[in-house]
Amino acid sequence: MTTLPAVIPLARDTGRSLRWRIHKGFKDAILTGQLESGTRLPSTRTLASSLGVSRSTVVEAFDQLAAEGFLDRRPGSGTYVSRQLATLRATDRTGAPGTNPARRPAHRASAGAREHAVLPRPFTPCEPDATLFPHRLWARLLARHARTPGTSEAAPGPAGLPQLRKALAAHLVLSRGVTAAPEQIIVVSGAQQALHLCAHALLDPGDAVWCEDPGYLEARAAVALAGARPVPVPVDGDGLDVDLATDLAPHARAAYVTPSHQFPTGNVMGLARRLRLLDWAARNGTWIVEDDYDSEFCYDNRPLPALQGLDDHQSVVYVGTLNKIAYRGLRLGYLIAPPAVTDAFLAVADTMSTSPPVAVQSAMADFISEGHLSQHIGRMRTTYRERRQLLVDELHRVLGDRIQLEPASRGMHILATLNAVPNEYLARRGTARGLDLRMLSDYTQTPMSREAIVLGYTHLRPEQIRSAVVDLASLLSTTDRRL
């Protein structure tokens, strides 16, 4: 029989009770082998005296240890460290240290890993200006439904609140030219959740999915996390190259596209390419996921209708978000599912808890149906147009022919090429100066023949735009001296 060590240390957390500290001290001693299996423990009275605590405290700690299987109580004999632990150590803790295989997450979880989002800084792309949102009005709408939640609003189901789905359908038919009945709309907590919902409702493990390259990284992550295979397809001036995609993955199950404003190049998919993509989906029984992430912000003419509105074969799943119209913390998005797969989407949504808070959905239903959303978008469009022009003017004024800008008549960012500058080095130095300079190559899976910087501006006030351009120019000067 192994003798009891002279001292069983109490756990050091003085913020916890004596019972907890005794329990933790003995458990640690047993798990580390300091107290071997079969060791007979002194009586609770003896231990209480040696530890300077009441006997009842030791009894409670031992009762817990016995209930957890660490101790065996033997009437008339005493209390022992459980002999089952010896068997467990012999079978489960064999091998030299470091020889056990390392634990790892699923391969698809690793494939979907990405850098966590950071707080917006100067030039962070696709960030709305939350100060433009009518927060007082929004607070009143929220209070209206927080005070008097209706019975019909108590359990909206996996598709979301009926009032919001109806309001969204009416708004999107007019603003985006989509074909949508309220029954086809599923309310989610943002576009990213909508993409995960699409991946799990439409794809089986191993399915190939065309993804724009460069393109939205989180879309690829959603595909990978569903066990499917994202296939990078180059984009040109008309968006995703359908013919090349057919050569790369002729049996692809779906395609992910941003046709109204390709992210991050800013290209718009032309009508011929749209019809070619729709024809591919119709002939092959495949799916198109249309991410319409910032289509509201078209500055020189009326926004192009959504690809979904051209679809006569119900092949397109339309994904949208209200976060970029309001503020990043709203967490409210939606998708329009083709009727043939609406039930499948609802079944998956029911397991994912996609539905945002009822009061938020109710308030947004009122915000849309009372005309506030259309008015707000109009104000944002005017403000963002002015900020885009200011950024273009300042870049040309301060940097001159050192910078080349891609045409930008829509969206929330512009693409800039800086001549004779190592862009990766520039991005690293920009972070130290508080600038978020993201490279076009950050969004690619295959090598690119050119490099550019993605410059967001919609969340920046005029004085911030001017200051950020000056900081960028100063950074370029520093870079020149180091080259």
Side-chain angles (χ1 to χ4, degrees):
M1 176 186 298
T2 304
T3 59
L4 184 69
V7 178
I8 297 296
L10 294 179
R12 292 178 177 272
D13 190 343
T14 57
R16 308 296 291 267
S17 67
L18 282 171
R19 183 202 61 78
W20 183 92
R21 294 169 63 199
I22 294 171
H23 169 273
K24 182 74 163 54
F26 272 89
K27 184 171 74 171
D28 289 347
I30 292 170
L31 288 174
T32 59
Q34 186 181 7
L35 284 176
E36 296 181 358
S37 300
T39 300
R40 185 176 186 269
L41 301 183
S43 68
T44 54
R45 190 183 304 278
T46 301
L47 279 171
S49 176
S50 64
L51 293 173
V53 300
S54 69
R55 184 185 175 212
S56 62
T57 300
V58 177
V59 170
E60 291 174 1
F62 273 28
D63 287 345
Q64 181 68 29
L65 289 164
E68 293 173 358
F70 290 98
L71 301 182
D72 288 334
R73 293 272 180 71
R74 302 177 192 174
S77 178
T79 301
Y80 298 80
V81 177
S82 174
R83 290 191 179 277
Q84 292 182 357
L85 296 176
T87 304
L88 290 173
R89 289 195 180 101
T91 57
D92 293 345
R93 300 190 180 190
T94 57
T99 60
N100 291 337
R103 294 183 179 89
R104 59 167 179 80
H107 287 298
R108 62 176 179 268
S110 300
R114 62 186 180 89
E115 183 180 349
H116 292 292
V118 297
L119 291 176
R121 292 171 290 169
F123 300 132
T124 299
C126 299
E127 283 292 336
D129 186 348
T131 65
L132 299 177
F133 191 68
H135 291 283
R136 289 186 179 180
L137 169 63
W138 180 246
R140 289 199 299 270
L141 296 176
L142 279 175
R144 175 192 300 173
H145 293 282
R147 286 195 301 264
T148 58
T151 311
S152 62
E153 299 175 354
L161 198 68
Q163 299 94 307
L164 178 55
R165 297 162 70 196
K166 182 178 178 180
L168 281 169
H171 169 73
L172 294 169
V173 168
L174 290 176
S175 65
R176 300 299 299 126
V178 302
T179 302
E183 294 74 23
Q184 294 174 249
I185 294 179
I186 299 176
V187 179
V188 293
S189 296
Q192 184 60 26
Q193 191 175 57
L195 294 177
H196 282 281
L197 183 53
C198 289
H200 285 82
L202 301 178
L203 304 175
D204 290 318
D207 282 345
V209 179
W210 297 348
C211 293
E212 299 168 332
D213 192 48
Y216 185 47
L217 299 179
E218 283 77 358
R220 297 177 202 157
V223 171
L225 286 170
R229 179 170 60 92
V231 177
V233 179
V235 299
D236 56 22
D238 269 341
L240 181 138
D241 189 330
V242 178
D243 292 332
L244 182 56
T246 303
D247 293 336
L248 291 171
H251 304 295
R253 181 65 175 160
Y256 167 82
V257 291
T258 53
S260 295
H261 188 234
Q262 201 279 327
F263 184 83
T265 66
N267 297 331
V268 177
M269 184 178 285
L271 179 60
R273 183 70 59 83
R274 291 178 180 228
L275 295 177
R276 175 78 177 86
L277 183 61
L278 289 170
D279 179 66
W280 164 79
R283 284 188 294 103
N284 293 278
T286 50
W287 302 102
I288 301 169
V289 177
E290 177 183 13
D291 188 348
D292 209 24
Y293 68 101
D294 69 354
S295 60
E296 295 85 3
F297 307 121
C298 185
Y299 309 121
D300 294 346
N301 47 50
R302 182 176 175 81
L304 290 174
L307 175 68
Q308 194 260 15
L310 294 173
D311 180 21
D312 294 329
H313 299 280
Q314 300 179 353
S315 305
V316 178
V317 181
Y318 179 90
V319 172
T321 180
L322 294 167
N323 299 330
K324 288 182 172 55
I325 301 174
Y327 53 94
R328 61 157 43 194
L330 179 64
R331 309 314 309 151
L332 200 57
Y334 53 88
L335 64 81
I336 302 174
V341 289
T342 298
D343 287 345
F345 270 88
L346 290 174
V348 176
D350 199 24
T351 68
M352 293 177 66
S353 300
T354 58
S355 196
V358 176
V360 174
Q361 294 189 57
S362 300
M364 184 54 71
D366 290 349
F367 191 75
I368 296 172
S369 60
E370 294 175 8
H372 305 301
L373 179 63
S374 296
Q375 295 174 8
H376 176 55
I377 291 174
R379 289 191 296 267
M380 294 178 79
R381 191 179 292 140
T382 298
T383 301
Y384 289 175
R385 180 191 295 113
E386 294 171 351
R387 293 179 181 180
R388 179 205 60 164
Q389 190 60 53
L390 176 61
L391 176 60
V392 170
D393 292 343
E394 287 296 297
L395 288 170
H396 284 313
R397 182 182 68 83
V398 176
L399 295 175
D401 58 4
R402 299 201 60 184
I403 192 166
Q404 296 176 351
L405 303 179
E406 298 290 333
S409 62
R410 64 189 70 231
M412 305 175 75
H413 69 277
I414 60 176
L415 215 57
T417 301
L418 294 168
N419 300 325
V421 175
N423 291 292
E424 290 187 5
Y425 175 80
L426 185 65
R428 291 195 301 269
R429 299 288 297 174
T431 300
R433 289 176 176 253
L435 301 178
D436 190 356
L437 301 178
R438 303 192 188 185
M439 299 294 104
L440 184 62
S441 58
D442 292 340
Y443 300 94
T444 64
Q445 289 184 281
T446 53
M448 295 194 63
S449 59
R450 67 172 184 136
E451 184 59 286
I453 298 179
V454 182
L455 298 177
Y457 57 88
T458 47
H459 62 300
L460 301 175
R461 297 186 298 276
E463 62 273 18
Q464 292 176 311
I465 292 175
R466 296 187 182 95
S467 176
V469 172
V470 170
D471 288 343
L472 178 58
S474 174
L475 179 62
L476 287 174
S477 299
T478 303
T479 303
D480 287 342
R481 291 194 295 270
R482 289 174 176 266
L483 295 179

